[in-house]
Amino acid sequence: MVVIGYGGQDKAINDRIVDWMESHLSHTMVVVNRAGERMVRQARGAIARGIPRWQERGRATMIHLSFEDVSAADYLSAVGLRAAPRAIRSSKRKAPP
């Protein structure tokens, strides 16, 4: 799943995302949001708890850019097809300097 620009504030949307992520261990998510980890801290309930847990398990990746600034290389890296660029963070990748 690719989530673009969503802030995690709508309970109904959060419930659908969480249900989908929890329905199968093969489900992964890429979140594109320039606010990055701040978005997670400001999100409601299940998303605020879920994203860090999914990141720890290698199932969620954050791209800390605006949608219009995301390149194909950024996306490919987020889904594990290339080396991590500057704006991507997951449990397997270190934060940019």
Side-chain angles (χ1 to χ4, degrees):
M1 174 186 303
V2 178
V3 179
I4 300 171
Y6 176 62
Q9 295 295 314
D10 186 297
K11 185 180 182 326
I13 293 172
N14 291 352
D15 289 345
R16 287 179 183 228
I17 292 170
V18 170
D19 287 349
W20 185 81
M21 285 295 289
E22 298 297 330
S23 69
H24 200 279
L25 291 175
S26 69
H27 291 174
T28 60
M29 176 171 59
V30 175
V31 179
V32 178
N33 191 308
R34 67 176 171 232
E37 300 304 324
R38 184 173 42 114
M39 180 281 284
V40 177
R41 287 191 307 272
Q42 294 173 348
R44 293 180 63 168
I47 288 293
R49 292 184 304 274
I51 290 177
R53 185 175 68 245
W54 299 323
Q55 284 178 299
E56 289 173 9
R57 296 175 182 163
R59 297 182 58 213
T61 303
M62 300 283 296
I63 299 178
H64 299 216
L65 295 170
S66 297
F67 172 72
E68 55 273 0
D69 295 327
V70 176
S71 69
D74 293 325
Y75 174 74
L76 290 171
S77 177
V79 296
L81 297 177
R82 301 207 182 178
R86 70 215 179 304
I88 296 179
R89 182 180 302 160
S90 77
S91 62
K92 297 178 185 176
R93 298 175 182 96
K94 297 212 180 255

